[in-house]
Amino acid sequence: MNQYSRSQIIKGRLKFIIMSLIGIILFLLPITVTNDDGKKETTLTVAFLAGVLKDLIGGAMPIIIVLIITLSGILTLLCSTILKSKLNPDGLMYNAFNVKWIWLILRLLAVVFVWITYLKVGTEVIYSEDTGALIFTSLLPTLVTVFLFAALFLPLLMEYGLLELLGPIFRPIMRPLFTLPGRSTVDNLASFIGDGTVGVLITSKQYEGGFYSKREATVIATTFSVVSLTFAIVVAQTVHMQNHFFYFYLTVIVSCLVLAVITPRVWPLRSVKDIYAKEVPEEMRTEKLPEGKTALSHGFDMATETGIKAPGFRAFFKSGFKTVIDMWFVILPVVMSIGTLATIIANYTPLFSIIGKPFVPYLELLQIPEAAHASETIIIGFADMFLPSILIEGANSHITLFVVGALSITQLIYLSEVGGVILGSKIPVSIFKLFVIFLIRTVIALPIIALMAHLYFS
């Protein structure tokens, strides 16, 4: 800090403290609001703002989504073929729209799906309320507004010193327990308190910036991107566990924490290499303390230095709008195409039921009633996290309802939202590895959740 003048240090500290506090209020501080039904619910300020904007846009939202996905498809086709050699390799157009053939196909497929669903033409298999319309009307409007506010304000958490402050403080916990940097605490809190997609966005940006390795980014995205507390309440209500919600959500947290300790240490996460997308100073990654410094004092010094170098007002919004474009035109088409395909397979083929059959003996071993019925819901959660709760709703056993509901949240990776967002982000993980991680989470979580269910209901 000796290289900076007193006025620079004071200005840097003020910038770090003020901007980080705003970021904490927006992304990490729960607020209580009254929903349309007059009921109070817990949410985040950024999610509340997204909801207000979604209501304001109203009926114009479908055509906005259609235009975003269509324009993305056209630009991707042009930039991946005839314009490829003419683009600046460091430019936004090249990075967002010059893609490999598989992503080109998925974005073009998204254009087909979104128009069929919007116009309700062709086969109902694509545009039904359980497939394309589920993604188009229920999920994408939320993502459009959440991505707007999250992308605009994410720099408040990431570029003004909060991560540098928390890194050295939480390293003694995060490294030994979860094999992750201390700064990942922010990603994990944003997911647990707010929404998994926000956590994925933070993680993706940190990976692009060189602060997380390929392994660390994959671990964070596939281990801590839990659905929001609000959505967990919806799941609990669907499986008739609203009167037992505290214990229900405690079970989810316990299961997720156990999985967060185990899964980074087994294949495939263990085999992902610690390769970085960009070079940054080594001390930023290691978060080791200089001699004579405490974690708090070192973190505060690093945060102050980051505040000194942090972008000004204009650069802040310029960076934010670039991220908005990236989120809208890159991630939304992937969620539309993969989400629609996954829900079609789930609703119109027996594939997930067949794959779930081997779980019947496992469920019987764990003494879960109606094991055959429950097994049909286990793998279908990979398509959409809400499907298992809908399919198991008619079960007679509280234990079965509890296990299926809690497991569907704990499985974490589902293609209609978090999985699709991960695949559309810069985090380098394949759909095959996502499915393998999903299966591993399922196998490990089941006995934990079953034990909690038996303890509570027996």
Side-chain angles (χ1 to χ4, degrees), residues 277-444:
K278 185 179 176 182
E279 286 304 317
V280 298
E282 190 62 24
E283 61 268 18
M284 298 290 286
R285 292 176 183 158
T286 59
E287 301 171 336
K288 289 182 180 178
L289 299 179
E291 195 173 337
K293 287 273 190 178
T294 64
L296 182 60
S297 65
H298 179 54
F300 193 70
D301 283 348
M302 291 179 66
T304 301
E305 187 169 355
T306 302
I308 294 169
K309 298 176 180 177
F313 189 78
R314 185 177 176 182
F316 170 84
F317 278 103
K318 185 178 179 182
S319 171
F321 277 114
K322 279 186 178 180
T323 307
V324 170
I325 298 301
D326 195 41
M327 297 297 103
W328 278 358
F329 289 90
V330 174
I331 294 179
L332 290 182
V334 175
V335 173
M336 183 69 203
S337 56
I338 291 181
T340 303
L341 286 172
T343 49
I344 287 172
I345 293 169
N347 285 283
Y348 291 95
T349 77
L351 178 63
F352 288 116
S353 296
I354 292 169
I355 298 173
K357 292 291 184 188
F359 280 92
V360 174
Y362 193 31
L363 292 168
E364 289 175 343
L365 179 67
L366 297 171
Q367 299 180 20
I368 306 300
E370 303 174 74
H373 188 188
S375 71
E376 295 175 4
T377 71
I378 287 177
I379 304 301
I380 208 169
F382 187 62
D384 183 81
M385 192 274 289
F386 202 47
L387 290 175
S389 301
I390 295 171
L391 293 176
I392 203 65
E393 193 178 3
N396 296 314
S397 168
H398 284 303
I399 290 176
T400 306
L401 290 166
F402 184 95
V403 168
V404 170
L407 180 66
S408 70
I409 300 172
T410 307
Q411 286 171 322
L412 190 144
I413 302 163
Y414 56 105
L415 293 178
S416 64
E417 186 179 317
V418 168
V421 173
I422 292 171
L423 290 171
S425 73
K426 297 295 191 298
I427 301 167
V429 56
S430 67
I431 190 170
F432 171 72
K433 282 190 177 178
L434 282 183
F435 184 62
V436 171
I437 296 165
F438 171 88
L439 286 177
I440 291 170
R441 292 185 67 85
T442 302
V443 171
I444 297 172

Side-chain angles (χ1 to χ4, degrees), residues 87-95:
L87 296 174
N88 176 8
D90 298 320
L92 178 63
M93 294 291 286
Y94 185 91
N95 290 314

